[in-house]
Amino acid sequence: MYLCTQIMRRLYYFILLIGVLCVPSAAQDSLSIRLDSLLRDPMFETSQVGVMVYDLTADSTLYTCNHKQLMRPASCMKVVTAITALDQLGADYDFQTRICYTGDIVGHTLIGNVYCVGGFDPTLTVDDVALMAGCVQRMGIDSIQGLLVADGTMKEAQDYGEGWCWDDDNPMLRALTIGRKNIFLQTFAEEVARAGINLERVQLVEGRTPQNARMVCTCKHNIGLVMDRMMKMSDNFYAESMFYQTAASAKKGVARARDSRDITKRLFARLGLGHYPYKVADGSGLSLYNYVSVELLCRMLRYAWQTPAIRNVLLPTLPIAGVDGTLKDRMRGTRAQGNVQAKTGTLTGISSLAGYCTTAGGHQLCFAIINQGVMRNATGRAFQDRVCKVLCEYDGKTD
């Protein structure tokens, strides 16, 4: 009888201990209660939401709501594009535009062709073109007898992304542009002539650079410069250029969107989410065919945070609440101002936000929110701002 009593008593304490270990902390319950209360807003009678919050400091999930549901991310797709590109290309990667030539220099005349080889660098300016023209002039020539060739064959001949709306004012995806306009070759010719080189017998054409072409110069811009505008200002053209840089790393001759999709999905698999039917259509989030989950966005953000080479480039490019970028006018006057660093997303019926913040208790969090079916995007943004306010006020203690 005594032995039976002792066994029952130990079993009771064991069950009690298991209960303590399995029940969420009161502090976490407090956070969940506050976030749950936000989900009782009447807006969710006619719209959907996915929310996930991950504590990077404690390495644990703090909150989820529909975190596995497939949703359109809008420009939060740029989070996926940026992290994949940094993982694949590295922080030292440069976008490159090259000037090459064929033929011979006879006296001070180049009898041959000059090739402008596009690398889909969206940052190119007239000043960059003038510097490249100066490199041609320093070859010691004062005239060209041949062709000026624009080589945009770095990427596939597809001007728009898969699933883009035909009636939107979308940028044409060309590998050799200035200010996203197809005016590079004409501008280059003007700058070469301004440098004192005679082009009277020169034609301007499009074509491919032969393998025996010799290098004149290379214009380079670091990946961080491109990513800054891509994320801070949510520039779609910059994001698509990043998407195609990732594709080019597959080294299949011509960069194709499908190559970038394959590389992106391989990263999903490495992060343990390769079995979900995510859809990657483009790099900017313009496509109506993109489908991801807030769990995926949080997993990507978590991976970036745990990888310093990625984090150190990505973090400074994210908009800061109440300070700059697409978050400049949001969350002002709250604890979230200057604290939340996150990418915004907006399409008709879609509003999203994904990024990082620091709690009042000093914990670093990553989070992702997608509002879907909201007819007024301001409504979705207001909800996201309230969530961020709660996260930044969270101190890890009970109420």
Side-chain angles (χ1 to χ4, degrees):
M1 185 70 176
Y2 173 78
L3 180 61
C4 183
T5 301
Q6 291 298 313
I7 291 174
M8 291 299 293
R9 180 175 297 169
R10 290 182 181 180
L11 181 60
Y12 169 76
Y13 284 125
F14 176 75
I15 294 173
L16 183 63
L17 176 61
I18 292 296
V20 170
L21 292 175
C22 294
V23 174
S25 69
Q28 189 170 337
D29 277 349
S30 173
L31 178 67
S32 297
I33 289 170
R34 295 189 66 185
L35 293 178
D36 284 343
S37 69
L38 298 181
L39 293 174
R40 289 193 286 272
D41 191 288
M43 67 181 285
F44 296 115
E45 294 177 8
T46 57
S47 66
Q48 305 81 46
V49 69
V51 181
M52 184 166 183
V53 183
Y54 194 88
D55 190 328
L56 296 163
T57 304
D59 197 19
S60 62
T61 300
L62 279 182
Y63 186 82
T64 62
C65 172
N66 297 327
H67 63 296
K68 295 184 182 295
Q69 294 294 308
L70 296 181
M71 296 181 172
R72 293 171 178 164
S75 278
C76 276
M77 194 68 193
K78 293 181 177 73
V79 170
V80 175
T81 302
I83 294 172
T84 303
L86 287 170
D87 181 69
Q88 183 72 13
L89 304 172
D92 295 327
Y93 182 82
D94 291 321
F95 288 57
Q96 299 187 21
T97 305
R98 296 180 291 120
I99 304 298
C100 303
Y101 78 98
T102 56
D104 298 303
I105 298 175
V106 179
H108 295 286
T109 299
L110 171 63
I111 303 176
N113 304 329
V114 175
Y115 296 86
C116 306
V117 188
F120 207 163
D121 182 350
T123 70
L124 285 175
T125 65
V126 174
D127 288 342
D128 292 322
V129 178
L131 289 173
M132 287 185 271
C135 291
V136 175
Q137 191 270 337
R138 285 192 290 276
M139 292 170 62
I141 63 175
D142 57 18
S143 65
I144 297 174
Q145 293 181 14
L147 305 173
L148 289 188
V149 184
D151 183 349
T153 60
M154 167 263 189
K155 66 173 292 293
E156 62 189 341
Q158 183 172 316
D159 287 338
Y160 299 105
E162 179 184 344
W164 287 11
C165 291
W166 64 270
D167 56 347
D168 283 347
D169 184 20
N170 296 320
M172 295 183 69
L173 305 180
R174 301 287 181 86
L176 191 59
T177 63
I178 299 175
R180 71 200 72 205
K181 296 179 181 179
N182 190 27
I183 59 172
F184 183 96
L185 191 57
Q186 181 61 42
T187 305
F188 180 73
E190 292 170 358
E191 293 299 327
V192 168
R194 188 172 287 117
I197 299 175
N198 189 323
L199 300 179
E200 288 182 3
R201 301 177 64 180
V202 170
Q203 293 181 337
L204 310 186
V205 300
E206 293 186 356
R208 182 183 294 273
T209 306
Q211 291 186 350
N212 66 342
R214 285 160 282 183
M215 185 78 70
V216 176
C217 64
T218 303
C219 178
K220 299 180 179 181
H221 292 121
N222 184 260
I223 190 172
L225 175 66
V226 178
M227 195 167 292
D228 187 69
R229 181 174 176 87
M230 164 186 161
M231 302 299 275
K232 290 282 189 188
M233 306 310 297
S234 201
D235 193 301
N236 296 318
F237 188 69
Y238 279 54
E240 295 304 329
S241 73
M242 191 75 67
F243 192 63
Y244 274 100
Q245 300 299 321
T246 299
S249 71
K251 300 187 183 304
K252 295 184 178 181
V254 176
R256 295 178 172 87
R258 67 169 179 257
D259 297 323
S260 190
R261 294 181 193 120
D262 290 344
I263 291 169
T264 304
K265 289 182 178 179
R266 285 200 293 271
L267 178 55
F268 295 170
R270 281 169 45 205
L271 298 181
L273 298 176
H275 57 290
Y276 289 109
Y278 300 121
K279 174 68 174 178
V280 177
D282 67 6
S284 62
L286 278 175
S287 177
L288 299 179
Y289 299 163
N290 291 309
Y291 278 96
V292 301
S293 66
V294 291
E295 178 184 35
L296 173 64
L297 293 176
C298 267
R299 192 71 64 90
M300 294 287 284
L301 289 165
R302 177 187 173 195
Y303 174 66
W305 185 263
Q306 294 173 340
T307 310
I310 297 177
R311 183 182 69 219
N312 293 340
V313 178
L314 177 70
L315 201 60
T317 70
L318 291 171
I320 303 172
V323 176
D324 65 14
T326 54
L327 284 179
K328 183 177 181 179
D329 298 321
R330 291 175 59 176
M331 306 181 214
R332 288 184 172 177
T334 71
R335 188 182 287 271
Q337 180 174 351
N339 183 342
V340 170
Q341 292 180 263
K343 182 72 198 73
T344 59
T346 303
L347 283 175
T348 301
I350 307 293
S351 182
S352 55
L353 187 69
Y356 304 98
C357 68
T358 305
T359 71
H363 279 220
Q364 189 69 45
L365 310 181
C366 66
F367 64 89
I369 309 164
I370 300 178
N371 290 95
Q372 190 163 274
V374 285
M375 292 300 100
R376 293 183 66 252
N377 285 316
T379 304
R381 290 193 293 269
F383 169 76
Q384 296 152 17
D385 292 355
R386 289 194 292 271
V387 170
C388 288
K389 180 175 180 289
V390 168
L391 296 181
C392 292
E393 291 173 348
Y394 175 58
D395 61 7
K397 301 176 182 178
T398 60
D399 285 343

